[in-house]
Amino acid sequence: MEKTYLYAYIEFDGNDDFPLNIFTQEIGVQPTKTWKIGERVKPGHPTNKRIQVNTCWRFEIETIESLDTEDVLRPLLEVFQSKTDTINQLKEQFSLDVRLELVMHIYDGHTPGLVIYPPFSKFAAEINAFLDVDMYVFPFTEPKE
């Protein structure tokens, strides 16, 4: 039986080709993933010719088995809450959007509660972030008799 898994990330992007190395240095956190506009989406894939349409800097919290969204949102907050002023300066400097994303992989109806606690919602408002929740709900597995 599959379990329910959650992860969260913060992502900075824009259509401009902003300097990822300077952004990383200024924010003081190593990203888990970056890409530049025009790069191939899957560089080693022989048939996939799609290219990135923007430049992006992402920091992702490790995927965990949980039914509590706080388990992935709290660690994200702990890393970035003290960087609110820096985030806002970088957003302005490089004309960036910021997105806070919560991703749920739900199996067999084990649905986590979707609670955004006040410290996280305050942080999201302070950096004027998009809040995005993706839910991937997989079919129930009926026990065989």
Side-chain angles (χ1 to χ4, degrees), residues 7 9-12 18 20 23-24 30-36 39 41 52 55-60:
Y7 67 94
Y9 60 85
I10 187 169
E11 185 173 274
F12 298 88
F18 70 97
L20 295 170
F23 185 91
T24 299
Q30 285 298 314
T32 53
K33 186 184 281 188
T34 63
W35 58 85
K36 300 283 270 174
E39 289 180 350
V41 173
Q52 299 291 357
T55 295
C56 181
W57 187 101
R58 179 187 289 182
F59 180 86
E60 190 172 301

mmCIF file with all atom_site columns, all heavy atoms in Angstrom, residues 7 9-12 18 20 23-24 30-36 39 41 52 55-60:
data_model
loop_
_atom_site.group_PDB
_atom_site.id
_atom_site.type_symbol
_atom_site.label_atom_id
_atom_site.label_alt_id
_atom_site.label_comp_id
_atom_site.label_asym_id
_atom_site.label_entity_id
_atom_site.label_seq_id
_atom_site.pdbx_PDB_ins_code
_atom_site.Cartn_x
_atom_site.Cartn_y
_atom_site.Cartn_z
_atom_site.occupancy
_atom_site.B_iso_or_equiv
_atom_site.pdbx_formal_charge
_atom_site.auth_seq_id
_atom_site.auth_comp_id
_atom_site.auth_asym_id
_atom_site.auth_atom_id
_atom_site.pdbx_PDB_model_num
ATOM 1   N N   . TYR A 1 7  ? 5.813  17.472 -0.041  1.00 0.00 ? 7  TYR A N   1
ATOM 2   C CA  . TYR A 1 7  ? 7.022  18.290 -0.077  1.00 0.00 ? 7  TYR A CA  1
ATOM 3   C C   . TYR A 1 7  ? 6.611  19.718 -0.380  1.00 0.00 ? 7  TYR A C   1
ATOM 4   O O   . TYR A 1 7  ? 5.476  19.990 -0.785  1.00 0.00 ? 7  TYR A O   1
ATOM 5   C CB  . TYR A 1 7  ? 8.084  17.756 -1.043  1.00 0.00 ? 7  TYR A CB  1
ATOM 6   C CG  . TYR A 1 7  ? 7.764  17.805 -2.517  1.00 0.00 ? 7  TYR A CG  1
ATOM 7   C CD1 . TYR A 1 7  ? 8.166  18.878 -3.298  1.00 0.00 ? 7  TYR A CD1 1
ATOM 8   C CD2 . TYR A 1 7  ? 7.095  16.750 -3.139  1.00 0.00 ? 7  TYR A CD2 1
ATOM 9   C CE1 . TYR A 1 7  ? 7.900  18.904 -4.661  1.00 0.00 ? 7  TYR A CE1 1
ATOM 10  C CE2 . TYR A 1 7  ? 6.823  16.772 -4.487  1.00 0.00 ? 7  TYR A CE2 1
ATOM 11  C CZ  . TYR A 1 7  ? 7.229  17.850 -5.238  1.00 0.00 ? 7  TYR A CZ  1
ATOM 12  O OH  . TYR A 1 7  ? 6.967  17.889 -6.585  1.00 0.00 ? 7  TYR A OH  1
ATOM 13  N N   . TYR A 1 9  ? 8.297  23.800 -1.654  1.00 0.00 ? 9  TYR A N   1
ATOM 14  C CA  . TYR A 1 9  ? 9.439  24.553 -2.147  1.00 0.00 ? 9  TYR A CA  1
ATOM 15  C C   . TYR A 1 9  ? 9.106  26.026 -2.298  1.00 0.00 ? 9  TYR A C   1
ATOM 16  O O   . TYR A 1 9  ? 7.949  26.420 -2.329  1.00 0.00 ? 9  TYR A O   1
ATOM 17  C CB  . TYR A 1 9  ? 10.011 23.973 -3.437  1.00 0.00 ? 9  TYR A CB  1
ATOM 18  C CG  . TYR A 1 9  ? 9.080  23.908 -4.635  1.00 0.00 ? 9  TYR A CG  1
ATOM 19  C CD1 . TYR A 1 9  ? 8.915  24.992 -5.473  1.00 0.00 ? 9  TYR A CD1 1
ATOM 20  C CD2 . TYR A 1 9  ? 8.404  22.721 -4.943  1.00 0.00 ? 9  TYR A CD2 1
ATOM 21  C CE1 . TYR A 1 9  ? 8.102  24.904 -6.601  1.00 0.00 ? 9  TYR A CE1 1
ATOM 22  C CE2 . TYR A 1 9  ? 7.594  22.630 -6.061  1.00 0.00 ? 9  TYR A CE2 1
ATOM 23  C CZ  . TYR A 1 9  ? 7.441  23.730 -6.886  1.00 0.00 ? 9  TYR A CZ  1
ATOM 24  O OH  . TYR A 1 9  ? 6.637  23.647 -7.995  1.00 0.00 ? 9  TYR A OH  1
ATOM 25  N N   . ILE A 1 10 ? 10.179 26.816 -2.375  1.00 0.00 ? 10 ILE A N   1
ATOM 26  C CA  . ILE A 1 10 ? 10.079 28.226 -2.714  1.00 0.00 ? 10 ILE A CA  1
ATOM 27  C C   . ILE A 1 10 ? 10.795 28.378 -4.047  1.00 0.00 ? 10 ILE A C   1
ATOM 28  O O   . ILE A 1 10 ? 11.839 27.761 -4.267  1.00 0.00 ? 10 ILE A O   1
ATOM 29  C CB  . ILE A 1 10 ? 10.678 29.140 -1.628  1.00 0.00 ? 10 ILE A CB  1
ATOM 30  C CG1 . ILE A 1 10 ? 10.410 30.617 -1.934  1.00 0.00 ? 10 ILE A CG1 1
ATOM 31  C CG2 . ILE A 1 10 ? 12.163 28.850 -1.410  1.00 0.00 ? 10 ILE A CG2 1
ATOM 32  C CD1 . ILE A 1 10 ? 10.729 31.553 -0.768  1.00 0.00 ? 10 ILE A CD1 1
ATOM 33  N N   . GLU A 1 11 ? 10.189 29.164 -4.928  1.00 0.00 ? 11 GLU A N   1
ATOM 34  C CA  . GLU A 1 11 ? 10.733 29.291 -6.279  1.00 0.00 ? 11 GLU A CA  1
ATOM 35  C C   . GLU A 1 11 ? 10.697 30.758 -6.694  1.00 0.00 ? 11 GLU A C   1
ATOM 36  O O   . GLU A 1 11 ? 9.692  31.439 -6.492  1.00 0.00 ? 11 GLU A O   1
ATOM 37  C CB  . GLU A 1 11 ? 9.891  28.440 -7.225  1.00 0.00 ? 11 GLU A CB  1
ATOM 38  C CG  . GLU A 1 11 ? 10.392 28.361 -8.626  1.00 0.00 ? 11 GLU A CG  1
ATOM 39  C CD  . GLU A 1 11 ? 9.594  27.354 -9.437  1.00 0.00 ? 11 GLU A CD  1
ATOM 40  O OE1 . GLU A 1 11 ? 9.940  26.165 -9.387  1.00 0.00 ? 11 GLU A OE1 1
ATOM 41  O OE2 . GLU A 1 11 ? 8.635  27.772 -10.109 1.00 0.00 ? 11 GLU A OE2 1
ATOM 42  N N   . PHE A 1 12 ? 11.807 31.199 -7.249  1.00 0.00 ? 12 PHE A N   1
ATOM 43  C CA  . PHE A 1 12 ? 11.923 32.555 -7.783  1.00 0.00 ? 12 PHE A CA  1
ATOM 44  C C   . PHE A 1 12 ? 12.106 32.429 -9.286  1.00 0.00 ? 12 PHE A C   1
ATOM 45  O O   . PHE A 1 12 ? 12.973 31.679 -9.746  1.00 0.00 ? 12 PHE A O   1
ATOM 46  C CB  . PHE A 1 12 ? 13.136 33.268 -7.182  1.00 0.00 ? 12 PHE A CB  1
ATOM 47  C CG  . PHE A 1 12 ? 13.037 33.430 -5.693  1.00 0.00 ? 12 PHE A CG  1
ATOM 48  C CD1 . PHE A 1 12 ? 13.492 32.430 -4.851  1.00 0.00 ? 12 PHE A CD1 1
ATOM 49  C CD2 . PHE A 1 12 ? 12.483 34.572 -5.140  1.00 0.00 ? 12 PHE A CD2 1
ATOM 50  C CE1 . PHE A 1 12 ? 13.404 32.565 -3.474  1.00 0.00 ? 12 PHE A CE1 1
ATOM 51  C CE2 . PHE A 1 12 ? 12.395 34.717 -3.761  1.00 0.00 ? 12 PHE A CE2 1
ATOM 52  C CZ  . PHE A 1 12 ? 12.851 33.703 -2.931  1.00 0.00 ? 12 PHE A CZ  1
ATOM 53  N N   . PHE A 1 18 ? 17.923 36.319 -15.079 1.00 0.00 ? 18 PHE A N   1
ATOM 54  C CA  . PHE A 1 18 ? 18.615 36.871 -13.917 1.00 0.00 ? 18 PHE A CA  1
ATOM 55  C C   . PHE A 1 18 ? 19.805 35.990 -13.516 1.00 0.00 ? 18 PHE A C   1
ATOM 56  O O   . PHE A 1 18 ? 19.819 34.794 -13.775 1.00 0.00 ? 18 PHE A O   1
ATOM 57  C CB  . PHE A 1 18 ? 17.641 37.103 -12.754 1.00 0.00 ? 18 PHE A CB  1
ATOM 58  C CG  . PHE A 1 18 ? 17.106 35.859 -12.077 1.00 0.00 ? 18 PHE A CG  1
ATOM 59  C CD1 . PHE A 1 18 ? 17.699 35.387 -10.908 1.00 0.00 ? 18 PHE A CD1 1
ATOM 60  C CD2 . PHE A 1 18 ? 15.993 35.197 -12.569 1.00 0.00 ? 18 PHE A CD2 1
ATOM 61  C CE1 . PHE A 1 18 ? 17.200 34.278 -10.262 1.00 0.00 ? 18 PHE A CE1 1
ATOM 62  C CE2 . PHE A 1 18 ? 15.492 34.079 -11.922 1.00 0.00 ? 18 PHE A CE2 1
ATOM 63  C CZ  . PHE A 1 18 ? 16.097 33.617 -10.766 1.00 0.00 ? 18 PHE A CZ  1
ATOM 64  N N   . LEU A 1 20 ? 21.812 33.655 -11.606 1.00 0.00 ? 20 LEU A N   1
ATOM 65  C CA  . LEU A 1 20 ? 21.565 32.686 -10.537 1.00 0.00 ? 20 LEU A CA  1
ATOM 66  C C   . LEU A 1 20 ? 22.670 32.679 -9.489  1.00 0.00 ? 20 LEU A C   1
ATOM 67  O O   . LEU A 1 20 ? 22.392 32.544 -8.293  1.00 0.00 ? 20 LEU A O   1
ATOM 68  C CB  . LEU A 1 20 ? 21.389 31.290 -11.136 1.00 0.00 ? 20 LEU A CB  1
ATOM 69  C CG  . LEU A 1 20 ? 20.166 31.124 -12.037 1.00 0.00 ? 20 LEU A CG  1
ATOM 70  C CD1 . LEU A 1 20 ? 20.218 29.792 -12.769 1.00 0.00 ? 20 LEU A CD1 1
ATOM 71  C CD2 . LEU A 1 20 ? 18.883 31.249 -11.236 1.00 0.00 ? 20 LEU A CD2 1
ATOM 72  N N   . PHE A 1 23 ? 22.241 35.712 -7.264  1.00 0.00 ? 23 PHE A N   1
ATOM 73  C CA  . PHE A 1 23 ? 21.052 35.495 -6.444  1.00 0.00 ? 23 PHE A CA  1
ATOM 74  C C   . PHE A 1 23 ? 21.382 34.549 -5.286  1.00 0.00 ? 23 PHE A C   1
ATOM 75  O O   . PHE A 1 23 ? 21.045 34.828 -4.135  1.00 0.00 ? 23 PHE A O   1
ATOM 76  C CB  . PHE A 1 23 ? 19.913 34.918 -7.304  1.00 0.00 ? 23 PHE A CB  1
ATOM 77  C CG  . PHE A 1 23 ? 18.627 34.775 -6.553  1.00 0.00 ? 23 PHE A CG  1
ATOM 78  C CD1 . PHE A 1 23 ? 17.699 35.800 -6.533  1.00 0.00 ? 23 PHE A CD1 1
ATOM 79  C CD2 . PHE A 1 23 ? 18.343 33.612 -5.844  1.00 0.00 ? 23 PHE A CD2 1
ATOM 80  C CE1 . PHE A 1 23 ? 16.510 35.677 -5.829  1.00 0.00 ? 23 PHE A CE1 1
ATOM 81  C CE2 . PHE A 1 23 ? 17.158 33.483 -5.141  1.00 0.00 ? 23 PHE A CE2 1
ATOM 82  C CZ  . PHE A 1 23 ? 16.251 34.522 -5.138  1.00 0.00 ? 23 PHE A CZ  1
ATOM 83  N N   . THR A 1 24 ? 22.054 33.442 -5.579  1.00 0.00 ? 24 THR A N   1
ATOM 84  C CA  . THR A 1 24 ? 22.418 32.460 -4.550  1.00 0.00 ? 24 THR A CA  1
ATOM 85  C C   . THR A 1 24 ? 23.320 33.099 -3.501  1.00 0.00 ? 24 THR A C   1
ATOM 86  O O   . THR A 1 24 ? 23.119 32.898 -2.293  1.00 0.00 ? 24 THR A O   1
ATOM 87  C CB  . THR A 1 24 ? 23.124 31.245 -5.190  1.00 0.00 ? 24 THR A CB  1
ATOM 88  O OG1 . THR A 1 24 ? 22.220 30.632 -6.114  1.00 0.00 ? 24 THR A OG1 1
ATOM 89  C CG2 . THR A 1 24 ? 23.554 30.226 -4.143  1.00 0.00 ? 24 THR A CG2 1
ATOM 90  N N   . GLN A 1 30 ? 21.929 27.566 -0.749  1.00 0.00 ? 30 GLN A N   1
ATOM 91  C CA  . GLN A 1 30 ? 22.174 26.829 -1.990  1.00 0.00 ? 30 GLN A CA  1
ATOM 92  C C   . GLN A 1 30 ? 20.850 26.283 -2.519  1.00 0.00 ? 30 GLN A C   1
ATOM 93  O O   . GLN A 1 30 ? 20.107 25.635 -1.780  1.00 0.00 ? 30 GLN A O   1
ATOM 94  C CB  . GLN A 1 30 ? 23.145 25.667 -1.756  1.00 0.00 ? 30 GLN A CB  1
ATOM 95  C CG  . GLN A 1 30 ? 24.576 26.109 -1.598  1.00 0.00 ? 30 GLN A CG  1
ATOM 96  C CD  . GLN A 1 30 ? 25.097 26.807 -2.840  1.00 0.00 ? 30 GLN A CD  1
ATOM 97  O OE1 . GLN A 1 30 ? 24.913 26.353 -3.969  1.00 0.00 ? 30 GLN A OE1 1
ATOM 98  N NE2 . GLN A 1 30 ? 25.752 27.944 -2.636  1.00 0.00 ? 30 GLN A NE2 1
ATOM 99  N N   . PRO A 1 31 ? 20.548 26.514 -3.781  1.00 0.00 ? 31 PRO A N   1
ATOM 100 C CA  . PRO A 1 31 ? 19.297 25.988 -4.340  1.00 0.00 ? 31 PRO A CA  1
ATOM 101 C C   . PRO A 1 31 ? 19.382 24.477 -4.513  1.00 0.00 ? 31 PRO A C   1
ATOM 102 O O   . PRO A 1 31 ? 20.467 23.913 -4.609  1.00 0.00 ? 31 PRO A O   1
ATOM 103 C CB  . PRO A 1 31 ? 19.218 26.680 -5.701  1.00 0.00 ? 31 PRO A CB  1
ATOM 104 C CG  . PRO A 1 31 ? 20.647 26.914 -6.069  1.00 0.00 ? 31 PRO A CG  1
ATOM 105 C CD  . PRO A 1 31 ? 21.361 27.203 -4.780  1.00 0.00 ? 31 PRO A CD  1
ATOM 106 N N   . THR A 1 32 ? 18.224 23.846 -4.565  1.00 0.00 ? 32 THR A N   1
ATOM 107 C CA  . THR A 1 32 ? 18.178 22.415 -4.889  1.00 0.00 ? 32 THR A CA  1
ATOM 108 C C   . THR A 1 32 ? 18.046 22.206 -6.393  1.00 0.00 ? 32 THR A C   1
ATOM 109 O O   . THR A 1 32 ? 18.356 21.132 -6.894  1.00 0.00 ? 32 THR A O   1
ATOM 110 C CB  . THR A 1 32 ? 17.018 21.704 -4.163  1.00 0.00 ? 32 THR A CB  1
ATOM 111 O OG1 . THR A 1 32 ? 15.807 22.398 -4.438  1.00 0.00 ? 32 THR A OG1 1
ATOM 112 C CG2 . THR A 1 32 ? 17.257 21.660 -2.669  1.00 0.00 ? 32 THR A CG2 1
ATOM 113 N N   . LYS A 1 33 ? 17.602 23.269 -7.095  1.00 0.00 ? 33 LYS A N   1
ATOM 114 C CA  . LYS A 1 33 ? 17.453 23.166 -8.549  1.00 0.00 ? 33 LYS A CA  1
ATOM 115 C C   . LYS A 1 33 ? 17.454 24.573 -9.147  1.00 0.00 ? 33 LYS A C   1
ATOM 116 O O   . LYS A 1 33 ? 16.871 25.493 -8.576  1.00 0.00 ? 33 LYS A O   1
ATOM 117 C CB  . LYS A 1 33 ? 16.136 22.464 -8.883  1.00 0.00 ? 33 LYS A CB  1
ATOM 118 C CG  . LYS A 1 33 ? 15.915 22.162 -10.339 1.00 0.00 ? 33 LYS A CG  1
ATOM 119 C CD  . LYS A 1 33 ? 14.539 21.554 -10.583 1.00 0.00 ? 33 LYS A CD  1
ATOM 120 C CE  . LYS A 1 33 ? 14.542 20.090 -10.225 1.00 0.00 ? 33 LYS A CE  1
ATOM 121 N NZ  . LYS A 1 33 ? 13.311 19.407 -10.609 1.00 0.00 ? 33 LYS A NZ  1
ATOM 122 N N   . THR A 1 34 ? 18.110 24.703 -10.275 1.00 0.00 ? 34 THR A N   1
ATOM 123 C CA  . THR A 1 34 ? 18.058 25.954 -11.037 1.00 0.00 ? 34 THR A CA  1
ATOM 124 C C   . THR A 1 34 ? 17.995 25.603 -12.516 1.00 0.00 ? 34 THR A C   1
ATOM 125 O O   . THR A 1 34 ? 18.374 24.505 -12.918 1.00 0.00 ? 34 THR A O   1
ATOM 126 C CB  . THR A 1 34 ? 19.305 26.845 -10.810 1.00 0.00 ? 34 THR A CB  1
ATOM 127 O OG1 . THR A 1 34 ? 20.461 26.164 -11.280 1.00 0.00 ? 34 THR A OG1 1
ATOM 128 C CG2 . THR A 1 34 ? 19.461 27.247 -9.361  1.00 0.00 ? 34 THR A CG2 1
ATOM 129 N N   . TRP A 1 35 ? 17.530 26.551 -13.312 1.00 0.00 ? 35 TRP A N   1
ATOM 130 C CA  . TRP A 1 35 ? 17.634 26.426 -14.763 1.00 0.00 ? 35 TRP A CA  1
ATOM 131 C C   . TRP A 1 35 ? 17.602 27.820 -15.373 1.00 0.00 ? 35 TRP A C   1
ATOM 132 O O   . TRP A 1 35 ? 17.158 28.769 -14.749 1.00 0.00 ? 35 TRP A O   1
ATOM 133 C CB  . TRP A 1 35 ? 16.555 25.532 -15.357 1.00 0.00 ? 35 TRP A CB  1
ATOM 134 C CG  . TRP A 1 35 ? 15.138 25.935 -15.100 1.00 0.00 ? 35 TRP A CG  1
ATOM 135 C CD1 . TRP A 1 35 ? 14.391 26.831 -15.802 1.00 0.00 ? 35 TRP A CD1 1
ATOM 136 C CD2 . TRP A 1 35 ? 14.289 25.438 -14.064 1.00 0.00 ? 35 TRP A CD2 1
ATOM 137 N NE1 . TRP A 1 35 ? 13.124 26.926 -15.279 1.00 0.00 ? 35 TRP A NE1 1
ATOM 138 C CE2 . TRP A 1 35 ? 13.031 26.081 -14.200 1.00 0.00 ? 35 TRP A CE2 1
ATOM 139 C CE3 . TRP A 1 35 ? 14.442 24.519 -13.034 1.00 0.00 ? 35 TRP A CE3 1
ATOM 140 C CZ2 . TRP A 1 35 ? 11.974 25.836 -13.350 1.00 0.00 ? 35 TRP A CZ2 1
ATOM 141 C CZ3 . TRP A 1 35 ? 13.389 24.276 -12.187 1.00 0.00 ? 35 TRP A CZ3 1
ATOM 142 C CH2 . TRP A 1 35 ? 12.165 24.928 -12.362 1.00 0.00 ? 35 TRP A CH2 1
ATOM 143 N N   . LYS A 1 36 ? 18.110 27.899 -16.574 1.00 0.00 ? 36 LYS A N   1
ATOM 144 C CA  . LYS A 1 36 ? 18.185 29.161 -17.306 1.00 0.00 ? 36 LYS A CA  1
ATOM 145 C C   . LYS A 1 36 ? 17.250 29.104 -18.513 1.00 0.00 ? 36 LYS A C   1
ATOM 146 O O   . LYS A 1 36 ? 17.029 28.039 -19.094 1.00 0.00 ? 36 LYS A O   1
ATOM 147 C CB  . LYS A 1 36 ? 19.611 29.418 -17.796 1.00 0.00 ? 36 LYS A CB  1
ATOM 148 C CG  . LYS A 1 36 ? 20.669 29.509 -16.711 1.00 0.00 ? 36 LYS A CG  1
ATOM 149 C CD  . LYS A 1 36 ? 20.658 30.796 -15.986 1.00 0.00 ? 36 LYS A CD  1
ATOM 150 C CE  . LYS A 1 36 ? 21.553 31.799 -16.639 1.00 0.00 ? 36 LYS A CE  1
ATOM 151 N NZ  . LYS A 1 36 ? 21.477 33.108 -16.061 1.00 0.00 ? 36 LYS A NZ  1
ATOM 152 N N   . GLU A 1 39 ? 17.507 26.681 -21.835 1.00 0.00 ? 39 GLU A N   1
ATOM 153 C CA  . GLU A 1 39 ? 18.078 25.345 -21.616 1.00 0.00 ? 39 GLU A CA  1
ATOM 154 C C   . GLU A 1 39 ? 17.039 24.281 -21.931 1.00 0.00 ? 39 GLU A C   1
ATOM 155 O O   . GLU A 1 39 ? 15.830 24.521 -21.818 1.00 0.00 ? 39 GLU A O   1
ATOM 156 C CB  . GLU A 1 39 ? 18.513 25.171 -20.153 1.00 0.00 ? 39 GLU A CB  1
ATOM 157 C CG  . GLU A 1 39 ? 19.714 25.953 -19.758 1.00 0.00 ? 39 GLU A CG  1
ATOM 158 C CD  . GLU A 1 39 ? 20.104 25.752 -18.291 1.00 0.00 ? 39 GLU A CD  1
ATOM 159 O OE1 . GLU A 1 39 ? 19.334 25.144 -17.521 1.00 0.00 ? 39 GLU A OE1 1
ATOM 160 O OE2 . GLU A 1 39 ? 21.186 26.220 -17.939 1.00 0.00 ? 39 GLU A OE2 1
ATOM 161 N N   . VAL A 1 41 ? 14.726 21.166 -21.231 1.00 0.00 ? 41 VAL A N   1
ATOM 162 C CA  . VAL A 1 41 ? 14.048 20.697 -20.026 1.00 0.00 ? 41 VAL A CA  1
ATOM 163 C C   . VAL A 1 41 ? 14.663 19.395 -19.541 1.00 0.00 ? 41 VAL A C   1
ATOM 164 O O   . VAL A 1 41 ? 14.929 19.222 -18.360 1.00 0.00 ? 41 VAL A O   1
ATOM 165 C CB  . VAL A 1 41 ? 12.530 20.546 -20.280 1.00 0.00 ? 41 VAL A CB  1
ATOM 166 C CG1 . VAL A 1 41 ? 11.842 19.895 -19.099 1.00 0.00 ? 41 VAL A CG1 1
ATOM 167 C CG2 . VAL A 1 41 ? 11.905 21.909 -20.579 1.00 0.00 ? 41 VAL A CG2 1
ATOM 168 N N   . GLN A 1 52 ? 13.393 25.530 -21.563 1.00 0.00 ? 52 GLN A N   1
ATOM 169 C CA  . GLN A 1 52 ? 12.868 26.328 -20.451 1.00 0.00 ? 52 GLN A CA  1
ATOM 170 C C   . GLN A 1 52 ? 12.438 27.699 -20.971 1.00 0.00 ? 52 GLN A C   1
ATOM 171 O O   . GLN A 1 52 ? 13.135 28.310 -21.779 1.00 0.00 ? 52 GLN A O   1
ATOM 172 C CB  . GLN A 1 52 ? 13.934 26.497 -19.362 1.00 0.00 ? 52 GLN A CB  1
ATOM 173 C CG  . GLN A 1 52 ? 14.398 25.201 -18.748 1.00 0.00 ? 52 GLN A CG  1
ATOM 174 C CD  . GLN A 1 52 ? 13.336 24.532 -17.893 1.00 0.00 ? 52 GLN A CD  1
ATOM 175 O OE1 . GLN A 1 52 ? 12.231 25.034 -17.678 1.00 0.00 ? 52 GLN A OE1 1
ATOM 176 N NE2 . GLN A 1 52 ? 13.674 23.343 -17.391 1.00 0.00 ? 52 GLN A NE2 1
ATOM 177 N N   . THR A 1 55 ? 13.996 31.657 -16.379 1.00 0.00 ? 55 THR A N   1
ATOM 178 C CA  . THR A 1 55 ? 15.098 31.311 -15.489 1.00 0.00 ? 55 THR A CA  1
ATOM 179 C C   . THR A 1 55 ? 14.498 31.120 -14.104 1.00 0.00 ? 55 THR A C   1
ATOM 180 O O   . THR A 1 55 ? 13.605 31.872 -13.706 1.00 0.00 ? 55 THR A O   1
ATOM 181 C CB  . THR A 1 55 ? 16.154 32.435 -15.494 1.00 0.00 ? 55 THR A CB  1
ATOM 182 O OG1 . THR A 1 55 ? 16.707 32.505 -16.809 1.00 0.00 ? 55 THR A OG1 1
ATOM 183 C CG2 . THR A 1 55 ? 17.262 32.173 -14.501 1.00 0.00 ? 55 THR A CG2 1
ATOM 184 N N   . CYS A 1 56 ? 14.977 30.121 -13.376 1.00 0.00 ? 56 CYS A N   1
ATOM 185 C CA  . CYS A 1 56 ? 14.349 29.778 -12.105 1.00 0.00 ? 56 CYS A CA  1
ATOM 186 C C   . CYS A 1 56 ? 15.383 29.351 -11.074 1.00 0.00 ? 56 CYS A C   1
ATOM 187 O O   . CYS A 1 56 ? 16.351 28.654 -11.387 1.00 0.00 ? 56 CYS A O   1
ATOM 188 C CB  . CYS A 1 56 ? 13.346 28.651 -12.337 1.00 0.00 ? 56 CYS A CB  1
ATOM 189 S SG  . CYS A 1 56 ? 12.489 28.164 -10.837 1.00 0.00 ? 56 CYS A SG  1
ATOM 190 N N   . TRP A 1 57 ? 15.141 29.731 -9.826  1.00 0.00 ? 57 TRP A N   1
ATOM 191 C CA  . TRP A 1 57 ? 15.926 29.327 -8.665  1.00 0.00 ? 57 TRP A CA  1
ATOM 192 C C   . TRP A 1 57 ? 14.949 28.689 -7.694  1.00 0.00 ? 57 TRP A C   1
ATOM 193 O O   . TRP A 1 57 ? 13.947 29.310 -7.322  1.00 0.00 ? 57 TRP A O   1
ATOM 194 C CB  . TRP A 1 57 ? 16.576 30.567 -8.042  1.00 0.00 ? 57 TRP A CB  1
ATOM 195 C CG  . TRP A 1 57 ? 17.542 30.319 -6.930  1.00 0.00 ? 57 TRP A CG  1
ATOM 196 C CD1 . TRP A 1 57 ? 18.902 30.332 -7.029  1.00 0.00 ? 57 TRP A CD1 1
ATOM 197 C CD2 . TRP A 1 57 ? 17.251 30.073 -5.551  1.00 0.00 ? 57 TRP A CD2 1
ATOM 198 N NE1 . TRP A 1 57 ? 19.468 30.096 -5.794  1.00 0.00 ? 57 TRP A NE1 1
ATOM 199 C CE2 . TRP A 1 57 ? 18.472 29.932 -4.868  1.00 0.00 ? 57 TRP A CE2 1
ATOM 200 C CE3 . TRP A 1 57 ? 16.081 29.937 -4.812  1.00 0.00 ? 57 TRP A CE3 1
ATOM 201 C CZ2 . TRP A 1 57 ? 18.557 29.674 -3.498  1.00 0.00 ? 57 TRP A CZ2 1
ATOM 202 C CZ3 . TRP A 1 57 ? 16.153 29.672 -3.457  1.00 0.00 ? 57 TRP A CZ3 1
ATOM 203 C CH2 . TRP A 1 57 ? 17.380 29.548 -2.815  1.00 0.00 ? 57 TRP A CH2 1
ATOM 204 N N   . ARG A 1 58 ? 15.217 27.446 -7.273  1.00 0.00 ? 58 ARG A N   1
ATOM 205 C CA  . ARG A 1 58 ? 14.280 26.715 -6.408  1.00 0.00 ? 58 ARG A CA  1
ATOM 206 C C   . ARG A 1 58 ? 15.022 26.093 -5.227  1.00 0.00 ? 58 ARG A C   1
ATOM 207 O O   . ARG A 1 58 ? 16.109 25.557 -5.370  1.00 0.00 ? 58 ARG A O   1
ATOM 208 C CB  . ARG A 1 58 ? 13.592 25.606 -7.198  1.00 0.00 ? 58 ARG A CB  1
ATOM 209 C CG  . ARG A 1 58 ? 12.623 24.780 -6.346  1.00 0.00 ? 58 ARG A CG  1
ATOM 210 C CD  . ARG A 1 58 ? 12.074 23.588 -7.083  1.00 0.00 ? 58 ARG A CD  1
ATOM 211 N NE  . ARG A 1 58 ? 11.152 24.009 -8.115  1.00 0.00 ? 58 ARG A NE  1
ATOM 212 C CZ  . ARG A 1 58 ? 10.484 23.175 -8.895  1.00 0.00 ? 58 ARG A CZ  1
ATOM 213 N NH1 . ARG A 1 58 ? 10.657 21.870 -8.790  1.00 0.00 ? 58 ARG A NH1 1
ATOM 214 N NH2 . ARG A 1 58 ? 9.662  23.631 -9.811  1.00 0.00 ? 58 ARG A NH2 1
ATOM 215 N N   . PHE A 1 59 ? 14.365 26.165 -4.060  1.00 0.00 ? 59 PHE A N   1
ATOM 216 C CA  . PHE A 1 59 ? 14.828 25.446 -2.874  1.00 0.00 ? 59 PHE A CA  1
ATOM 217 C C   . PHE A 1 59 ? 13.687 24.550 -2.416  1.00 0.00 ? 59 PHE A C   1
ATOM 218 O O   . PHE A 1 59 ? 12.602 25.033 -2.108  1.00 0.00 ? 59 PHE A O   1
ATOM 219 C CB  . PHE A 1 59 ? 15.229 26.404 -1.748  1.00 0.00 ? 59 PHE A CB  1
ATOM 220 C CG  . PHE A 1 59 ? 15.705 25.696 -0.514  1.00 0.00 ? 59 PHE A CG  1
ATOM 221 C CD1 . PHE A 1 59 ? 17.034 25.311 -0.398  1.00 0.00 ? 59 PHE A CD1 1
ATOM 222 C CD2 . PHE A 1 59 ? 14.832 25.403 0.513   1.00 0.00 ? 59 PHE A CD2 1
ATOM 223 C CE1 . PHE A 1 59 ? 17.492 24.647 0.739   1.00 0.00 ? 59 PHE A CE1 1
ATOM 224 C CE2 . PHE A 1 59 ? 15.265 24.741 1.651   1.00 0.00 ? 59 PHE A CE2 1
ATOM 225 C CZ  . PHE A 1 59 ? 16.600 24.364 1.762   1.00 0.00 ? 59 PHE A CZ  1
ATOM 226 N N   . GLU A 1 60 ? 13.938 23.262 -2.392  1.00 0.00 ? 60 GLU A N   1
ATOM 227 C CA  . GLU A 1 60 ? 12.891 22.283 -2.109  1.00 0.00 ? 60 GLU A CA  1
ATOM 228 C C   . GLU A 1 60 ? 13.183 21.545 -0.801  1.00 0.00 ? 60 GLU A C   1
ATOM 229 O O   . GLU A 1 60 ? 14.310 21.155 -0.524  1.00 0.00 ? 60 GLU A O   1
ATOM 230 C CB  . GLU A 1 60 ? 12.848 21.276 -3.262  1.00 0.00 ? 60 GLU A CB  1
ATOM 231 C CG  . GLU A 1 60 ? 11.673 20.339 -3.231  1.00 0.00 ? 60 GLU A CG  1
ATOM 232 C CD  . GLU A 1 60 ? 11.599 19.522 -4.507  1.00 0.00 ? 60 GLU A CD  1
ATOM 233 O OE1 . GLU A 1 60 ? 11.495 20.133 -5.595  1.00 0.00 ? 60 GLU A OE1 1
ATOM 234 O OE2 . GLU A 1 60 ? 11.662 18.285 -4.412  1.00 0.00 ? 60 GLU A OE2 1
#
